[in-house]
Amino acid sequence: MAGGGRKSLPPAVVAAIFAGLLAVVLPAPSEAKTYIVGDAAGWSLPSNDNFYEVWSQSKKFRAGDHLLFNFKTTIHTVVEVTKLGYESCSQANPLAETIYDGPAKVKLTQGSHYYICDRPQHCFGGMKLAVNVSAPATNNNLAAEHNRKLEGSMVASGPVSAVPGDSQAVPGDSTEVPADSPEVPADSPAV
């Protein structure tokens, strides 16, 4: 194009630019989070039987995070059970030892986890919790998530124009983060 006109960059180049920028500006993965089960209500008999279901659906649990069950010793317990045990309020085949002393902190691993209180009628009264835990966050999958959002917005807005001669805007391969980068330090305490 004569007269200093602008050229449009191909979408793949624009995506590479955004990926490079995201790798530089994205914060490092956060440390594991601790979620207080039931927030201010703690681990207690709820006012409605789906209280903990609603609570857990408002959270995004990742492997390495912790659940903190706030309860008074001798009043409640925490028992990890199977899905069937959760649905039937049965601690007949627990997946871990019953926790009698509160408060109690439990480290989450990837997958589905089910917890109940084994005191008579407490589980049937709504003291049961199901959580779905995803893989730990890494810089690589956080950047990919942001790229998908950006690519969707780029398609809607059309190609990006570039100033001729600005070829150094495309990042090299040095901005990639290994896919196996852990979110949580290996020395995090497990409970």
Side-chain angles (χ1 to χ4, degrees):
M1 205 180 248
R6 293 167 111 40
K7 293 197 298 189
S8 293
L9 293 174
V13 172
V14 173
I17 291 169
F18 278 104
L21 291 173
L22 284 173
V24 172
V25 299
L26 273 179
S30 61
E31 295 294 320
K33 295 179 182 175
T34 296
Y35 294 93
I36 298 173
V37 175
D39 295 324
W43 185 238
S44 61
L45 281 170
S47 57
N48 60 55
D49 61 357
N50 70 340
F51 174 81
Y52 291 106
E53 178 182 350
V54 171
W55 177 84
S56 69
Q57 289 174 351
S58 71
K59 312 293 185 225
K60 183 163 177 88
F61 304 104
R62 293 198 177 269
D65 288 345
H66 293 88
L67 294 176
L68 180 62
F69 291 85
N70 274 335
F71 65 96
K72 291 184 180 180
T73 301
T74 72
I75 305 294
H76 301 296
T77 63
V78 177
V79 184
E80 185 172 5
V81 296
T82 63
K83 183 177 183 181
L84 181 61
Y86 170 82
E87 291 169 345
S88 63
C89 287
S90 170
Q91 71 276 8
N93 296 305
L95 299 178
E97 288 188 35
T98 300
I99 301 170
Y100 296 99
D101 297 324
K105 193 173 185 181
V106 175
K107 186 173 182 177
L108 295 172
T109 57
Q110 188 173 348
S112 297
H113 298 274
Y114 305 93
Y115 303 93
I116 64 171
C117 177
D118 73 355
R119 299 296 189 225
Q121 300 305 312
H122 287 199
C123 179
F124 289 111
M127 274 191 81
K128 57 186 193 174
L129 172 68
V131 295
N132 293 310
V133 182
S134 60
T138 63
N139 276 337
N140 202 35
N141 63 20
L142 288 174
E145 187 176 311
H146 286 286
N147 279 342
R148 282 191 297 276
K149 291 177 185 175
L150 287 174
E151 286 173 358
S153 65
M154 286 189 297
V155 171
S157 62
V160 175
S161 296
V163 176
D166 191 18
S167 61
Q168 294 182 359
V170 179
D173 290 337
S174 63
T175 58
E176 288 187 32
V177 177
D180 60 351
S181 294
E183 174 191 18
V184 180
D187 60 347
S188 292
V191 176

